[in-house]
Amino acid sequence: MSILVNADTKVVVQGITGSAGSFHAKQCLEYGTNIVAGVTPGKGGQKFEGKVPIFDTVEQAVKATGANASVVFVPPPFAADSIMEAADAKIPLVITITEGIPVNDMVKAKRFLQGGATRLIGPNCPGVITPGGKCKIGIMPGHIHRPGRIGVVSRSGTLTYEAVFQVTGLGMGQSTAVGIGGDPVNGTNFIDVLKLFNDDPETDAVIMIGEIGGSAEEEAAAWVKANFKKPIAGFIAGASAPPGKRMGHAGAIIAGGKGTAAEKVKAMSEAGYVMAQSPSELGTTLVEAMKRKGLKV
Amino acid sequence: MKIHEYQGKQIFKKYGVPVPRGIVVRTADDAEKAAKELGTKVVVVKAQIHAGGRGKGGGVKIAKSPAEAKDLASKMLGMMLKTIQTGPEGQKVQTLYVEEGLDIDKEYYLGVTLDRATSRITFMASTEGGVEIEEVAHKHPEKILREGVDPAVGFQAYQGRKLAYGLGLSGDSVNAFVKFCAALYKAYVETDAALAEINPLVRLKDGSILALDSKMNFDDNALYRQKDVVEMRDVAEEDEREAKAKEFDLAYIALHGNIGCMVNGAGLAMATMDTIKLVGGEPANFLDVGGGATKEKVTAAFKLILADPAVKVVLVNIFGGIMKCDVIAEGVIAAAREMKLTVPVVVRLEGTNVELGKQLLEKSGLKLIAADNLRQAAEKAVAALKA
């Protein structure tokens, strides 16, 4: 088992003929992901890589192929529309890779999803991968992953890769790695993913990577303290970031004295996370967290 | 993106958010003329810089005559205004806003921004206007009223009434405040703002409601559809290198240390800075070259880093995922040769084709210091400073 995606996931790629969409769709296919359809308005009827059928609308793609997950590579001005289109087609999981979507567009898209059956991951995220199911939906390098029992959840792409790489290097592997994205408005937060890992019998321990800005890490820490049963290691990026400056990610900004790394590290430590001081120690910190809970490594 | 107070008030005016009368000036003589034209008993001379905290820093002064307005303006123009938000060197004052004096009855705080927890644009109002609102938020969160707006229907009148009565307003001021908020919400949404803050918002003795100050920030991701807002950009207020970085689509932020950083990914870039500090160094910058860094981008990034005279060591930290390490190594070597590097460069590569990348770096003949992980890279960078 795993969370969110597995060998049965049938993926439709929105924006499959664009430069990012086609490049990464190819990489996902090579990894073994079951991509059943692509969508590019105006290119319906064509084939991607000679085998994946392309449709004009998501609704058509779902009807014809039974796709049950979507990945969005559509450029920022049109991405929110694509998310809503996928939700309208009743796709249960929409993973949005696109970086740079206007906040107001996401506020509307998230309102549109409210009360519906669609879960949004991202935007501005690397995606989701379940190595055991050969299912990679996103832009992460597939070859650093190994099937295993460690869950990874992160706001940052490259830091997820760091964590995954070290876990693999220590001879372990990942059940599922989830990037929730670095934007201020996102579909799925830490708590949503931690709940899934908590209930997944094939996840033994979790690494959670946060960054400055907002209060998602503090909220996750409060939830972990009350509910989470498994060993958990953490890291927060941005301890040295100056206030008022946007550190690359739209959501990574210390505003009004809120969202500092110190507050987050404190909340997480008190909630039972074992915290890494540097991303170099993500793997060893995880091992420490597992040992403290009496797990064999 | 940030704009000046007077520009924020131009936007307010366009959307029907009431503001005092004011005139933008760039010379002391024009300040005198503006004071005469406004014709009120007193006028307020306000320095226009992007940083907040201007009042405490001496950037907002009352003039009792046009002659005094001229005198104040001559002192303010060209001064390095230091506030809690400018940093120790301050920000040069080049523009002033001369505003009419008003019969103020009471001051309030009103702010509009995204509440991440609810994913809704949210109004925040407080009777503690004019003071440090952040301190109020910290010590007395109950003194801040909040109203989240449902994006499907927009700001509703009842929300305005809740805030108005919550602030203790009465009579005509209630309706004036409701209209004020509705206009402000429209201005916020239609300009793709990220923050609209009015501190203070004032009630005059006649009951009317006015924005005495204005602070607006905008969503950088939406600037492509906000031509009018983009025209308000004042590059003199921005860090020269940060502006240059934008041209190359690089996320760069200048800091005060001496270890230049080049990293892919925002999270890893922050973590690199953190680790440098952890081992006793000081990062000179934040720089994310992005996931698809090309040789050209790497070169541009190197130039940016080395344009900072404080940089004594460069730390390159790349996790090659989709990007292959050998390609990145080629970029680093090409940039190092083109720039005729004189400072030591510590390189930490990991990921796809890492062995090939490391071989290329070794064979290049350049004085590159290799590191196996981030902490080691940071330690080697700090050691290189002392060497």
Side-chain angles (χ1 to χ4, degrees), chain B residues 6 10 20-26 30-39 44-46 48 95-100:
Chain B
Y6 78 90
Q10 285 169 3
R21 291 182 301 133
I23 297 165
V24 183
V25 299
R26 289 186 177 82
D30 282 351
E32 185 179 22
K33 267 188 233 164
K36 271 184 199 158
E37 199 183 319
L38 291 168
V44 187
V45 182
K46 305 170 95 174
Q48 300 295 293
T95 308
L96 301 173
Y97 195 47
V98 184
E99 230 172 31
E100 63 176 331

Side-chain angles (χ1 to χ4, degrees), chain A residues 23-24 27 76-78 99-108 110-111 114 136 139-144 155-159 161-162 165-166 183-186 211-215 219 235-242 244-253 255-258 263 277-281, chain B residues 2 114-121 134 137-138 149-153 188-193 219-225 239 242 251-255 263-275 277-278 283 286 288 291 317-322 324 348 350-354 373-376:
Chain A
F23 177 81
H24 291 293
Q27 301 268 331
F78 320 107
E99 177 176 3
I101 304 176
V103 170
N104 281 347
D105 290 8
M106 280 313 302
V107 166
K108 285 183 200 153
K110 192 160 180 189
R111 174 70 174 85
Q114 202 180 309
K136 159 178 135 84
I139 59 174
M140 64 291 277
H143 67 90
I144 62 172
R155 265 167 79 181
S156 148
T158 35
L159 282 176
Y161 311 160
E162 283 279 355
F165 185 77
Q166 289 173 35
D183 274 5
V185 176
N186 61 9
E211 57 191 33
I212 52 162
S215 56
E219 287 149 24
F235 175 71
I236 297 292
S240 58
K245 292 277 190 182
R246 168 183 156 165
M247 306 306 282
H249 285 164
I253 181 165
K258 280 277 190 184
E263 285 174 329
Q277 279 191 305
S278 152
S280 306
E281 286 106 51
Chain B
K2 293 178 180 176
L114 173 81
D115 178 3
R116 291 190 190 198
T118 58
S119 297
R120 289 191 173 191
I121 292 160
E134 284 154 17
H138 207 69
V149 182
D150 182 341
V153 294
Y188 183 98
V189 171
E190 290 187 9
T191 60
D192 278 305
D219 178 4
D220 289 342
N221 290 341
L223 290 177
Y224 72 91
R225 62 186 180 198
D239 182 276
E242 288 174 21
Y252 174 92
I253 289 166
L255 300 166
V263 190
N264 67 332
L268 191 57
M270 277 190 276
T272 303
M273 292 160 37
D274 298 345
T275 308
K277 270 208 147 162
L278 189 66
F286 165 93
D288 172 13
N317 181 25
I318 304 279
F319 196 103
I322 300 298
K324 295 184 176 70
R348 182 262 174 157
E350 199 52 81
T352 317
N353 289 358
V354 62
N373 64 51
L374 177 49
R375 186 186 274 265
Q376 197 189 80

